[in-house]
């Protein structure tokens, strides 16, 4: 949050004026006071002198950039630098700005390193007997390989790489590789255009000495890789590596390949008597899909010098933890090990080290430090999460996906209010080159400079200063999660920028899901007693105090009278929270009836609602998977990874705990986005209903009104009046549509145009469109709503209060199978539509619901025990 002091209209000319206007901002930034005057000078003179001290360098194979100090040295707190903001926006405007602001997409694409052309395909046309340029390059390459092997070897080609040459099926067949090179040991056809599995099988099984085959990134693998692999492995029993992964036949050659012994210059061990593995000290077997490591060639006898081993990313499920630990313990020189934790060696770094006493370094961290800290899940250097995209993905979509690794945020606030919508920004190329470190040497903070002394003149910058002594050539880093420790899920939140251990999160999710699946509701005891009417014995009307205009206007029943003083009322019907402080200020007593229940937050705050339902029901079908990001981020990440692994939809919606009107609500399938959006306030993350029932191609939801007389025994009623809210745009899951409010949201009272639809017409047209019976749907909705309030009654018996009577809005969506899904429960719901419009009742006994009688019926049910146009649940 960026706070502003009291504003003035005088232009800032002196340092004293600067500190007076920006005092709160300076304190919030954390900038040492010794640098305040220097900051004022640079802001006043617009001095951007970072280029004199720093240099931006490419890294991660040009997929990222880093910032390096070029000055001889820079002492802690010795200087401060201005960083410009290259892009500042509200999230809802991001896609629109990328399309419409000249040069913005190009600059952001370059800054985020997503402007690389991954297609590069050249279309060649010609007559049938004309040789294409691709084929010419393949022929030329083969001739070159043959010449080279004749000059340097025995003239027998054993290693052939034909990667990325756009070789299609016809070209592949025409090359006649098995006849020309029958002694191939390794063949790579990575990144070509092979599509026909029968043709590939026909040709490759002719290579009887083949030990390595790479068909990665060919279309043929998209549909039939399992069958293709099975046939090839059956016909080529000597094959040890297939598509970069080890086969069950792996042995000395595959291990030698990973140890960089075998390659183009040394294809095999045909002429060597001794095994070359004897001298191997470092062996990286990561991500080879190894199922069983116990193998005659992977042994202390064959690898006596092995000191470093990386077995990350392998399931190894065919060997027990005990057998694997016994195997590794026999490697007497092995002192450095990298392995997934949790993973094939168990879930505890401490226990692994206790079982392998020779290991001095585990996952890059000193064993003594791990044992001292007692941390079970550890890692030293996490690999950066690099943006991913397909060749045909538009630059705007690439930027939207990649930007979460660069964005920073603030929210404006003055003495009167806090801005409801956060501002996101990307620092310029200089600032964006700062990478993360847990032990950073620089710090960055947003700063709003107001040269005229008021918010209207404000210009946003970031300020950068050294927090340690830095030397020439050092990389300059900052802490992306400054001030956030493990109590706020720091390690899990780093997943926004780094490839953190997936196995750990999946395990956390599976434990959490197992608990939910084992939970079942013990329903509240059904009692026949009924809350009594509170009609006075002296036949006077019940006095009602309300601050809700519709109640004041439409509560006209003669047994109720509106009064102005709350302390004299029998019934308090208010939209504000009645707490002890308010009671003391207004004279409200515990004997007065109030339209709110104690602890009703367990229903009306989104994170508590999910917890209440999960505590009582576990994971019912009518509640989408829901996570409180403040407490269950690890479980959400695990769920995301499981869905990704199984090819399931991964679209989620983030909702603030307690904000209405879809403020700060976002729909995304981007895991870094989910994690970074936590920075704008506490949220739940809920699985998006990606296939909702549609009305004429548009998304809709339903608002029901529930009347609660008592929580113990549970006495609840459903109003016959409910209404539909319809989105304005046709429903779409296109990435660009996720930023369109009028496509994915239905509440148009505060923005957009209201798509008002009479409920009788809606039901009739919906039944015709989908060939369903609305009364069947309504019965399922009633059952669901009853279950929601049963959950509250069982999980939170403290809600019971004999002087509480209330109504709640329950928002419901239907999925494509017409099953109800709970969206939220709202306290003191907006009933404007129920009051302003007469409504045809399409459930119960039918008839017409007069808008002017809505609150009369509500109050009669709750306080007089008279039922009209409501039904008991």
């Amino acid at each position: 949050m960026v706070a502003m002091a009291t504003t003035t209209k005088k232009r800032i000319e002196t340092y004293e004026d600067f500190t007076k206007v920006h005092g709160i901002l300076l304190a919030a930034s954390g900038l040492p006071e010794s640098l305040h005057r220097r900051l004022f000078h640079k802001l006043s003179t617009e001095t951007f002198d970072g280029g004199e001290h720093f240099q931006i360098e490419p890294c991660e194979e040009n997929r990222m950039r880093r910032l390096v100090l070029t000055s001889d040295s820079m002492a802690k707190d010795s200087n401060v630098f201005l960083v410009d903001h290259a892009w500042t926006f509200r999230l809802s405007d991001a896609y629109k700005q990328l399309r419409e602001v000249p040069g913005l997409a190009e600059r952001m694409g370059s800054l985020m390193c997503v402007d690389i052309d991954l297609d590069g395909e050249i279309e060649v046309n010609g007559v049938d007997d004309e040789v294409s340029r691709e084929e010419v390059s393949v022929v030329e390459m083969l001739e070159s390989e043959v010449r080279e092997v004749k000059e340097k070897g025995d003239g027998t080609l054993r290693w052939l790489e034909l990667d990325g040459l756009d070789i299609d099926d016809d070209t592949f067949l025409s090359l006649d590789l098995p006849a020309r090179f029958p002694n191939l040991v390794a063949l790579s056809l990575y990144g070509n255009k092979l599509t026909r599995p029968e043709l590939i099988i026909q040709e490759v099984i002719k290579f009887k000495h083949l030990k390595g085959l790479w068909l990665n990134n060919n279309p043929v693998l998209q549909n039939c890789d399992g069958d293709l692999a099975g046939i090839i492995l059956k016909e080529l029993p000597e094959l040890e590596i297939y598509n970069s992964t080890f086969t069950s036949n792996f042995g000395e050659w595959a291990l030698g390949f990973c140890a960089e012994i075998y390659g183009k210059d040394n294809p095999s061990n045909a002429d060597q008597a001794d095994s070359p593995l004897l001298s191997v000290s470092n062996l990286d077997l990561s991500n080879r899909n190894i199922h069983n490591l116990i193998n005659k060639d992977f042994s202390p006898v064959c690898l006596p010098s092995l000191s470093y081993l990386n077995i990350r990313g392998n399931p190894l499920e065919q060997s027990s933890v005990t057998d694997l630990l016994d195997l590794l313990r026999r490697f007497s020189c092995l002192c450095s090990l990298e392995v997934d934790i949790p993973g094939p060696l168990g879930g505890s770094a401490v226990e692994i080290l206790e079982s392998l006493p020779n290991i001095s370094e585990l996952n890059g961290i000193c064993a003594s430090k791990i044992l001292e800290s007692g941390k079970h899940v550890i890692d030293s250097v996490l690999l950066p999460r690099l943006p991913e995209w397909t060749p045909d993905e538009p630059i705007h979509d690439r930027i939207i996906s990649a930007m979460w690794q660069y964005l920073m945020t603030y929210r404006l606030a003055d003495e009167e209010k806090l801005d409801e919508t956060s501002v996101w920004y990307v620092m310029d190329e200089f600032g964006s080159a700062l990478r993360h470190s847990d032990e950073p040497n620089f710090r960055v903070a947003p700063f709003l400079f107001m040269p005229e002394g008021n918010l209207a003149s404000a210009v946003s910058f970031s300020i950068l200063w050294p927090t340690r002594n830095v030397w020439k050539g050092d990389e300059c880093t900052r802490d992306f999660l400054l001030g956030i420790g493990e109590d706020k899920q720091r390690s899990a939140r780093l997943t926004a920028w780094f490839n953190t251990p997936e196995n750990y999160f999946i395990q956390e999710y599976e434990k959490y899901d197992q608990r939910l699946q084992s939970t079942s509701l013990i329903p509240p005891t059904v009692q026949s007693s009924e809350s009594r009417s509170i009609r006075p014995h002296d036949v006077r009307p019940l006095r009602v105090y309300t601050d809700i205009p519709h109640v004041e206007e439409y509560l006209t029943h003669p047994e109720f009278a509106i009064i102005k003083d709350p302390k004299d009322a029998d019934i308090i019907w208010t939209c504000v929270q009645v707490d002890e402080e308010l009671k003391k200020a207004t004279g409200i007593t515990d004997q007065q009836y109030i339209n709110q229940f104690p602890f009703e937050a367990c229903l009306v705050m989104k994170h508590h609602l999910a917890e209440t339902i999960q505590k009582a029901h576990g994971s019912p079908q009518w509640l989408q998977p829901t996570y409180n990001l403040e407490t269950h981020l690890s479980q959400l990440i695990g769920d995301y990874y499981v869905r990704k692994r199984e090819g399931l939809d991964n679209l989620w919606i983030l909702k603030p705990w307690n904000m209405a009107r879809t403020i700060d609500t976002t729909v995304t399938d981007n895991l870094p986005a989910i994690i970074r959006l936590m920075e704008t306030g506490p949220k739940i993350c809920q699985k998006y209903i990606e296939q909702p029932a549609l009305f004429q191609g548009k998304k809709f939801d339903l608002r029901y009104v529930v009347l609660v007389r008592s929580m113990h025994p549970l006495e609840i009623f459903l109003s016959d009046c409910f209404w539909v809210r319809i989105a304005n745009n046709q429903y779409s899951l296109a990435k660009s549509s996720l930023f369109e409010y009028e496509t994915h949201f239905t509440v148009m009272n505060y923005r957009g145009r209201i798509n008002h639809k009479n409920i009788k017409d809606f039901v009739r047209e919906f039944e015709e469109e989908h060939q369903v019976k609305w009364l069947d749907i309504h019965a399922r909705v009633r059952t669901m709503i009853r279950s929601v309030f049963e959950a509250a009654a069982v999980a939170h018996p403290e809600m019971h209060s004999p002087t509480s009577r209330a109504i709640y809005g329950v928002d419901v969506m239907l999925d494509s199978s017409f099953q109800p899904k709970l969206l939220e429960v709202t306290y003191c719901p907006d009933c404007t539509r129920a009051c302003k419009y007469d409504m045809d009742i399409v459930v119960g006994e039918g008839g017409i619901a007069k808008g002017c009688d809505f609150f009369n019926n509500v109050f009669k049910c709750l306080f007089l025990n008279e039922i009209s146009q409501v039904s008991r649940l």
Side-chain angles (χ1 to χ4, degrees):
M1 182 176 74
V2 176
M4 271 76 69
T6 303
T7 57
T8 69
K9 293 185 179 180
K10 179 183 176 184
R11 181 169 181 81
I12 293 173
E13 296 179 352
T14 66
Y15 174 67
E16 289 70 26
D17 292 339
F18 172 72
T19 55
K20 182 178 179 180
V21 171
H22 297 86
I24 296 176
L25 287 165
L26 288 166
S29 72
L31 182 72
E33 189 173 351
S34 59
L35 292 175
H36 288 186
R37 190 176 293 274
R38 183 172 296 206
L39 174 62
F40 168 61
H41 171 74
K42 291 192 176 184
L43 286 167
S44 301
T45 58
E46 297 186 356
T47 301
F48 294 88
D49 56 345
E52 299 173 12
H53 303 271
F54 305 92
Q55 179 176 307
I56 300 170
E57 294 182 350
C59 58
E60 303 295 336
E61 297 181 345
N62 291 318
R63 301 289 301 280
M64 297 183 75
R65 294 189 177 92
R66 66 179 194 148
L67 193 67
V68 175
L69 187 72
T70 53
S71 298
D72 290 337
S73 64
M74 188 173 292
K76 175 184 176 181
D77 298 338
S78 62
N79 207 339
V80 62
F81 301 93
L82 296 184
V83 180
D84 202 2
H85 291 175
W87 183 24
T88 303
F89 60 96
R90 311 277 183 177
L91 196 55
S92 58
D93 299 327
Y95 211 95
K96 185 173 184 287
Q97 289 186 13
L98 285 171
R99 285 183 297 194
E100 296 180 2
V101 176
L104 178 62
E106 289 76 10
R107 184 179 183 185
M108 290 300 104
S110 174
L111 183 149
M112 299 175 189
C113 303
V114 296
D115 58 346
I116 305 168
D117 183 8
L118 297 180
D119 193 342
E121 183 179 19
I122 302 173
E123 182 177 346
V124 179
N125 297 313
V127 295
D128 292 341
D129 61 350
E130 182 178 354
V131 180
S132 71
R133 275 177 281 176
E134 287 86 349
E135 292 178 8
V136 170
S137 65
V138 174
V139 172
E140 290 175 348
M141 177 170 286
L142 287 175
E143 291 175 352
S144 173
E145 294 288 336
V146 171
R147 281 196 305 271
E148 185 175 348
V149 80
K150 285 181 179 179
E151 293 170 1
K152 296 182 179 180
D154 60 3
T156 302
L157 188 66
R158 294 184 174 87
W159 191 287
L160 182 59
E161 298 178 12
L162 300 175
D163 299 340
L165 297 174
D166 290 340
I167 299 172
D168 59 19
D169 297 325
D170 293 336
T171 304
F172 179 55
L173 187 61
S174 69
L175 294 174
D176 197 16
L177 297 178
R180 298 172 66 185
F181 312 113
N183 296 311
L184 279 184
V185 172
L187 172 63
S188 178
L189 295 163
Y190 187 101
N192 285 293
K193 297 182 177 180
L194 302 176
T195 62
R196 293 167 52 194
E198 72 280 0
L199 174 66
I200 294 169
I201 293 169
Q202 168 192 306
E203 295 299 297
V204 300
I205 64 174
K206 297 175 184 177
F207 295 105
K208 296 305 181 182
H209 306 292
L210 204 61
K211 292 186 177 294
L213 174 64
W214 289 265
L215 299 172
N216 314 56
N217 284 21
N218 276 278
V220 69
L221 299 184
Q222 295 176 3
N223 300 317
C224 62
D225 187 35
D227 296 338
L228 183 64
I231 296 173
I232 289 175
L233 294 177
K234 181 180 178 181
E235 297 293 334
L236 297 175
E238 293 187 24
L239 196 67
E240 297 189 26
I241 295 180
Y242 173 72
N243 291 349
S244 304
T245 65
F246 279 20
T247 73
S248 59
N249 301 320
F250 84 88
E252 187 254 8
W253 189 87
L255 296 171
F257 174 81
C258 291
E260 298 184 355
I261 293 171
Y262 297 134
K264 183 177 179 180
D265 294 332
N266 183 33
S268 67
N269 188 32
D271 301 324
Q272 299 178 30
D274 295 330
S275 170
L277 296 181
L278 294 173
S279 61
V280 170
S281 59
N282 290 4
L283 186 58
D284 184 352
L285 301 180
S286 60
N287 301 307
R288 293 293 175 180
N289 199 31
I290 303 172
H291 298 279
N292 189 352
L293 197 58
I294 299 174
N295 179 291
K296 65 180 179 64
D297 290 296
F298 183 80
S299 67
V301 174
C302 297
L303 291 158
S305 305
L306 187 64
S307 60
Y308 165 84
L309 175 66
N310 185 344
I311 53 173
R312 292 178 187 264
N314 293 293
L316 298 175
E317 81 286 0
Q318 294 179 8
S319 303
S320 68
V321 172
T322 301
D323 288 345
L324 285 171
L325 289 171
D326 286 343
L327 172 63
L328 295 177
R329 202 159 28 236
R330 301 205 314 266
F331 288 88
S332 58
C333 294
L334 185 62
C335 58
S336 179
L337 176 67
E338 293 198 41
V339 63
D340 295 327
I341 305 176
L345 299 185
S348 167
V350 173
E351 292 177 5
I352 291 172
L353 289 173
E354 289 173 345
S355 300
L356 300 173
N358 287 343
I359 298 296
S360 59
E361 186 179 77
L362 181 61
N363 288 357
I365 298 178
C366 179
S368 59
K369 286 187 177 180
I370 297 171
L371 294 171
E372 182 181 336
S373 69
K375 291 182 69 174
H376 294 293
V377 180
I378 52 91
D379 221 322
S380 59
V381 181
L382 296 173
L383 295 177
R385 179 183 291 274
L386 299 175
E388 298 176 354
W389 64 87
T390 58
D392 57 349
E393 190 170 356
I395 188 67
H396 310 102
D397 289 348
R398 299 184 193 183
I399 294 167
I400 292 295
S401 295
M403 68 183 186
W404 298 100
Q405 288 155 306
Y406 296 89
L407 291 181
M408 299 179 73
T409 186
Y410 58 80
R411 185 175 290 184
L412 297 173
D414 58 23
E415 294 174 340
E416 296 181 359
K417 68 172 184 176
L418 173 68
D419 193 346
E420 292 177 331
T421 307
S422 297
V423 174
W424 293 90
Y425 63 96
V426 178
M427 293 187 290
D428 63 15
E429 289 76 3
F430 168 46
S432 291
L434 286 159
R435 298 200 297 173
H436 169 79
S437 172
D438 287 337
E439 298 179 348
N441 47 23
F442 280 81
R443 182 171 169 181
V444 172
F447 193 85
L448 210 64
F449 179 47
M450 295 175 281
E452 301 292 339
N454 54 41
L455 188 57
S457 66
V459 182
S460 63
F461 298 96
S462 288
I463 51 177
L464 169 73
W465 69 96
T467 55
R468 295 171 182 253
N469 295 333
V470 193
W471 307 96
K472 185 174 183 177
D474 286 351
E475 180 175 356
C476 305
T477 59
R478 66 180 179 93
D479 185 348
F480 287 176
L481 293 170
L482 184 66
I484 296 175
E486 286 305 326
D487 59 324
K488 295 182 180 178
Q489 310 176 101
R490 179 182 177 89
S491 292
R493 291 173 77 159
L494 282 172
T495 304
W497 297 278
F498 297 96
N499 289 307
T500 50
E502 289 190 13
N503 283 357
Y504 167 75
F505 296 111
I506 290 173
Q507 189 176 85
E508 289 297 299
Y509 160 70
E510 288 174 343
K511 289 189 293 185
Y512 172 76
D513 186 58
Q514 190 172 15
R515 287 197 301 271
L516 290 183
Q517 298 301 333
S518 62
T519 302
S520 59
L521 174 74
I522 301 175
T525 305
V526 178
Q527 300 183 16
S528 58
S529 61
E530 187 175 89
S531 301
R532 63 180 178 82
S533 165
I534 68 168
R535 183 182 279 111
H537 296 297
D538 57 7
V539 198
R540 67 172 177 81
L542 288 164
R543 297 183 293 266
V544 178
Y545 168 80
T546 184
D547 56 5
I548 300 172
H550 286 124
V551 177
E552 188 172 3
E553 180 179 356
Y554 292 106
L555 182 58
T556 58
H557 192 281
E559 295 198 49
F560 300 94
I562 303 294
I563 65 170
K564 298 295 184 183
D565 195 336
K567 72 176 184 298
D568 297 327
D570 301 300
I571 301 167
I572 307 293
W573 197 273
T574 177
C575 62
V576 299
Q577 181 70 37
V578 179
D579 53 20
E580 292 304 315
E581 185 177 342
L582 184 63
K583 286 181 178 180
K584 188 175 181 180
T586 59
I588 295 174
T589 68
D590 292 337
Q591 285 68 49
Q592 293 170 289
Y593 286 82
I594 301 175
N595 68 323
Q596 48 198 248
F597 280 81
F599 302 98
E600 67 185 3
C602 74
L603 285 171
V604 300
M605 293 187 72
K606 297 178 185 70
H607 62 307
H608 289 323
L609 173 63
E611 291 163 4
T612 297
I613 292 169
Q614 290 163 350
K615 185 176 180 181
H617 293 291
S619 183
Q621 288 296 312
W622 43 264
L623 179 72
Q624 291 289 92
T626 305
Y627 299 89
N628 179 356
L629 292 180
E630 295 299 304
T631 57
H632 288 81
L633 177 61
S634 292
Q635 291 78 5
L636 174 275
I637 294 172
D639 192 348
Y640 185 98
Y641 283 145
V642 168
R643 290 175 182 276
K644 183 178 180 181
R645 181 183 68 194
E646 297 177 358
L648 300 176
D649 176 87
N650 236 333
L651 200 59
W652 298 79
I653 183 167
L654 289 92
K655 307 174 184 178
W657 282 358
N658 197 30
M659 294 186 82
R661 312 199 311 271
T662 64
I663 293 169
D664 202 16
T665 299
T666 307
V667 178
T668 183
D669 62 356
N670 186 303
L671 182 58
I674 292 171
I675 298 169
R676 297 296 313 281
L677 284 162
M678 294 173 64
E679 297 171 30
T680 63
K683 293 179 179 65
I684 63 165
C685 184
Q686 190 171 69
K687 184 66 192 66
Y688 194 60
I689 305 169
E690 72 278 1
Q691 293 184 333
L694 302 177
F695 178 68
Q696 298 174 359
K698 297 177 180 178
K699 189 175 176 180
F700 69 90
D701 65 16
L702 303 158
R703 163 61 64 88
Y704 291 87
V705 178
V706 178
L707 292 67
V708 182
R709 274 192 202 157
S710 168
M711 291 300 294
H712 184 74
L714 188 60
E715 286 184 69
I716 56 177
F717 302 81
L718 187 64
S719 171
D720 289 345
C721 297
F722 67 96
W723 50 96
V724 63
R725 302 177 297 193
I726 305 172
N728 287 334
N729 297 343
Q730 292 288 303
Y731 183 66
S732 169
L733 287 176
K735 277 193 176 182
S736 58
S737 81
L738 301 182
F739 290 84
E740 296 171 358
Y741 181 89
E742 295 185 44
T743 298
H744 289 273
F745 299 101
T746 60
V747 180
M748 301 296 163
N749 304 51
Y750 309 97
R751 55 177 126 169
R753 67 186 191 282
I754 296 179
N755 193 351
H756 181 71
K757 186 76 175 179
N758 178 281
I759 195 64
K760 182 179 180 180
D761 293 339
F762 167 79
V763 167
R764 175 178 52 79
E765 293 175 26
F766 187 85
E767 288 181 328
E768 291 174 357
E769 180 180 355
H770 296 287
Q771 295 299 297
V772 294
K773 293 182 179 179
W774 188 263
L775 289 181
D776 293 340
I777 294 171
H778 187 67
R780 293 193 287 270
V781 171
R782 288 175 58 88
T783 300
M784 183 196 74
I785 293 176
R786 170 79 190 184
S787 297
V788 172
F789 285 86
E790 283 180 344
V794 170
H796 295 281
E798 65 272 21
M799 273 190 73
H800 175 65
S801 168
T803 56
S804 294
R805 310 281 169 92
I807 66 171
Y808 298 92
V810 178
D811 294 340
V812 178
M813 187 171 287
L814 304 177
D815 66 16
S816 57
S817 299
F818 313 108
Q819 298 298 317
K821 300 284 187 178
L822 178 68
L823 299 183
E824 64 178 314
V825 177
T826 306
Y827 160 73
C828 198
D830 182 355
C831 295
T832 301
R833 286 176 69 167
C835 295
K836 287 183 66 174
Y837 304 103
D838 294 344
M839 195 177 300
D840 289 290
I841 297 174
V842 296
V843 296
E845 298 178 358
I848 302 292
K850 295 287 187 181
C852 60
D853 285 333
F854 177 77
F855 275 111
N856 290 333
N857 292 332
V858 167
F859 274 69
K860 284 194 299 179
C861 175
L862 292 178
F863 300 107
L864 303 181
N865 289 19
E866 296 178 6
I867 293 178
S868 177
Q869 297 182 345
V870 300
S871 59
R872 186 184 294 269
L873 285 173

